[in-house]
Amino acid sequence: MKVVVMGAGFGGIASALRARALGFDVVLVEKNQQIGGRAQVFNVDGYRHDAGPTVITAPFLFDELFALFNRERADYIEFTPLKVWYRFVFDDLSTFDYGGSQHDIETAIGNIDPSDVQHYRSLLQESKSIYHVGFERLADKPFHRMTDMMKLLPAMIKLKSYRSVWQLVSSHMQNEKLRQAFSIQPLLVGGNPFDTTSIYNLIHFLERKFGIHFAMGGAGALVKALEKLMIEQGIEIITNNSVELIETKDNYVKSVTLQDGTNLPCDHLISNIDPAYLYGKLLKKESSVVATARTKLARKSMGLFVLFFGTDKQYSAVEHHTILLGKRFKGLLDDIFKHKVLTEDFSLYLHRPTATDPSFAPQGHDSFYALVPVPNLDGGQNWKEDGEKLKQRVIKRLSQTLLPDLESHIQSVFYMTPEDFKDDYLSPSGAGFSISPHFYQSAWFRYHNNGEGLNNLSLAGAGTHPGAGLPGVLSSAKVVESLLKQKYGKVGVSQ
């Protein structure tokens, strides 16, 4: 039986591998020249930049993909644990190093507010309880029927999942700086901490349980490792070619036609493209009433402005991951998510891979990217003009804070805006993480992994259950695998 996987982000790659392990003939189709989805790699003037995920919080999910074929992930790619997971730098330039052992974290908390050490312990216990339900019982299970949701409803009510992440954290931590640091995780998956369901606080315990790792060589090397595994297992990979037409009959996908005119017969279609694009563009006529309504009413995540650059010196005091916060927290997030205005002030995440892997830059140099949450394209910004202005503001602020005299040392500057996310990744509204993860776009309310309106369609990736981020998209592939098993069983590997 032939499975076509449309879109080669991590969700599509994982789905292709899991389908192949079940015995399907698998073809993976990607519109860009490189597979990996948002995990594109830019090589400019000797500097290497990962455009996509930089943090690995659940390495076992990658280990599982290699174990499907009796392989060891470590034979393909090395994961290095980081001691400092994130350094938070507040507007007054005080810092909070988050990571390491629990003692390390408690010591760092005590340096800011000793009274919050005990509060952190209670927050960690609540995060653990949420993890047991939200990740272990929910993340890799399909939610296609309201009854699936109802079964978990008592547990979700007990955990007060109707609260926002900010409300949960604030019920424990008293210090404003620590409240900001411990509620930042939703931004890593496209959500506003003030309206993202507190289920996403499970990320904190996930980090505590497994640590934060970096794939040596970057996300691009991780993609190459998975590509090698796919080729070894006989998965056909087609790049630089998008699906332009999905041909259906009697509520079944029959074939897909690519941009170059190639027609691929299809017994089952797995979509790893944004569900709003899938149902709004490719399957507009076949889309179910529910999927059409979701697409029409979906609240998209924020957009991203990503500034890539190198420096002709090393900033050795800068950690691998740094979050630089501005004067405003809630007000800035309201401007980004609700009002969709681009303000003069901003917060940013700075990635310095050369702190762990010197191969990202020439000797004695550093490689960086600075990621700034911004309004998505629904805000109507003119990114041809605003991109240049924001670039200058980011460089100036970094020069005044984390990277002194950056203007004199910066090299090979370029950037991506929400316009690039729309064009390169077929992301409606240029959203950085598909739809946002508030309560009414989670679990049953999110796009279903079981395709709506067609009987042989499955969805994986950030826009479907359980959500964005590497653990989310890799778990969505596990859901797809379970659906394939239910529908077809093990089909036997075709040669």
Side-chain angles (χ1 to χ4, degrees):
M1 294 183 71
K2 181 78 72 176
V3 167
V4 175
V5 182
M6 182 170 58
F10 280 110
I13 291 171
S15 296
L17 286 165
R18 289 185 177 278
R20 184 58 177 160
L22 292 176
F24 292 93
D25 287 330
V26 181
V27 181
L28 179 63
V29 181
E30 168 57 44
K31 75 177 286 291
N32 293 312
Q33 292 184 351
Q34 308 170 46
I35 67 169
R38 283 161 168 73
Q40 300 299 299
V41 179
F42 301 121
N43 291 286
V44 181
D45 300 330
Y47 300 100
R48 187 163 75 249
H49 304 286
D50 280 338
T54 60
V55 176
I56 295 173
T57 50
F60 70 92
L61 290 172
F62 286 104
D63 295 346
E64 288 177 357
L65 296 177
F66 290 89
L68 289 170
F69 307 98
N70 299 313
R71 302 290 194 272
E72 293 286 338
R73 185 266 307 157
D75 293 333
Y76 290 74
I77 185 76
E78 177 187 357
F79 288 172
T80 297
L82 302 183
K83 182 177 181 182
V84 175
W85 300 341
Y86 298 100
R87 171 168 290 167
F88 290 88
V89 180
F90 302 97
D91 189 60
D92 62 3
L93 300 188
S94 62
T95 63
F96 168 56
D97 283 356
Y98 168 57
S101 67
Q102 185 165 340
H103 178 266
D104 292 332
I105 294 177
E106 291 183 1
T107 299
I109 290 171
N111 291 335
I112 295 177
D113 191 335
S115 68
D116 263 340
V117 173
Q118 187 61 42
H119 300 150
Y120 167 71
R121 293 171 185 162
S122 66
L123 173 65
L124 182 60
Q125 284 303 308
E126 186 161 9
S127 179
K128 181 178 180 179
S129 298
I130 293 171
Y131 171 86
H132 286 321
V133 174
F135 193 81
E136 293 182 341
R137 292 178 58 189
L138 186 152
D140 61 356
K141 304 294 188 297
F143 275 81
H144 305 144
R145 298 177 297 272
M146 180 58 84
T147 52
D148 298 329
M149 187 88 166
M150 296 303 291
K151 289 176 184 176
L152 272 180
L153 198 57
M156 295 176 75
I157 291 174
K158 185 178 180 181
L159 294 171
K160 301 179 183 178
S161 59
Y162 49 82
R163 293 176 298 173
S164 70
V165 167
W166 176 263
Q167 288 171 328
L168 183 152
V169 171
S170 296
S171 71
H172 294 273
M173 312 300 286
Q174 302 304 306
N175 184 276
E176 190 70 14
K177 291 178 179 178
L178 294 172
R179 285 178 170 180
Q180 292 179 20
F182 283 103
S183 64
I184 207 78
Q185 288 94 342
L187 284 165
L188 306 179
V189 293
N192 181 345
F194 290 89
D195 67 13
T196 296
T197 169
S198 58
I199 286 291
Y200 281 84
N201 189 256
L202 67 84
I203 296 173
H204 176 67
F205 186 76
L206 184 74
E207 293 169 341
R208 176 73 270 143
K209 184 176 176 67
F210 298 105
I212 282 180
H213 299 72
F214 182 70
M216 296 302 286
L222 178 55
V223 170
K224 288 292 184 185
L226 292 165
E227 182 178 35
K228 180 182 178 183
L229 179 65
M230 288 192 290
I231 291 171
E232 289 174 353
Q233 302 307 319
I235 295 173
E236 182 182 356
I237 301 171
I238 300 173
T239 58
N240 205 28
N241 212 341
S242 60
V243 172
E244 297 295 309
L245 178 66
I246 299 173
E247 298 173 54
T248 65
K249 184 179 180 181
D250 299 328
N251 298 323
Y252 282 86
V253 176
K254 294 299 182 181
S255 67
V256 299
T257 301
L258 306 186
Q259 187 178 23
D260 67 359
T262 301
N263 185 266
L264 299 175
C266 180
D267 295 304
H268 196 95
L269 178 65
I270 301 173
S271 174
N272 182 222
I273 65 175
D274 194 294
Y277 185 90
L278 172 71
Y279 289 123
K281 299 289 185 181
L282 292 177
L283 291 175
K284 198 167 185 178
K285 293 181 180 179
E286 295 85 355
S287 183
S288 71
V289 173
V290 174
T292 300
R294 280 197 178 95
T295 301
K296 185 176 180 179
L297 300 173
R299 288 167 53 185
K300 312 294 197 306
S301 75
M302 78 285 200
L304 298 173
F305 174 86
V306 192
L307 182 71
F308 302 89
F309 59 95
T311 57
D312 61 11
K313 61 169 286 188
Q314 288 188 326
Y315 289 89
S316 56
V318 176
E319 290 289 344
H320 191 126
H321 303 295
T322 302
I323 295 175
L324 179 61
L325 293 162
K327 290 181 180 179
R328 300 187 302 148
F329 192 65
K330 184 177 188 302
L332 177 60
L333 293 171
D334 283 345
D335 283 339
I336 293 169
F337 285 91
K338 295 181 179 179
H339 310 311
K340 294 185 170 51
V341 296
L342 185 64
T343 57
E344 289 293 315
D345 63 324
F346 54 85
S347 295
L348 61 81
Y349 156 65
L350 185 68
H351 183 224
R352 179 181 172 243
T354 33
T356 304
D357 186 347
S359 71
F360 273 74
Q363 186 174 2
H365 293 224
D366 266 334
S367 171
F368 290 97
Y369 85 52
L371 182 151
V372 182
V374 297
N376 61 38
L377 293 177
D378 294 342
Q381 282 75 28
N382 180 345
W383 281 106
K384 287 185 179 179
E385 296 180 1
D386 290 334
E388 282 298 314
K389 293 176 183 176
L390 186 52
K391 178 187 80 171
Q392 296 303 327
R393 295 207 302 273
V394 170
I395 292 171
K396 181 178 179 180
R397 186 164 182 220
L398 288 173
S399 188
Q400 294 171 340
T401 54
L402 303 176
L403 307 177
D405 199 25
L406 176 61
E407 291 100 335
S408 302
H409 297 285
I410 195 166
Q411 308 283 316
S412 308
V413 186
F414 65 100
Y415 57 81
M416 294 178 68
T417 76
E419 290 283 0
D420 296 299
F421 280 76
K422 176 177 72 72
D423 296 338
D424 295 349
Y425 308 133
L426 302 180
S427 179
S429 300
F433 302 90
S434 189
I435 60 174
S436 62
H438 61 84
F439 184 82
Y440 290 107
Q441 289 187 165
S442 299
W444 181 84
F445 298 108
R446 205 166 181 85
Y447 283 104
H448 293 175
N449 305 95
N450 201 20
E452 297 169 272
L454 292 167
N455 296 319
N456 59 341
L457 169 68
S458 300
L459 275 65
T464 189
H465 173 70
L470 284 180
V473 300
L474 293 176
S475 294
S476 74
K478 296 178 74 170
V479 179
V480 168
E481 177 188 33
S482 70
L483 296 173
L484 292 174
K485 284 181 180 178
Q486 289 173 19
K487 192 172 183 65
Y488 306 105
K490 256 197 162 182
V491 299
V493 178
S494 302
Q495 300 294 330

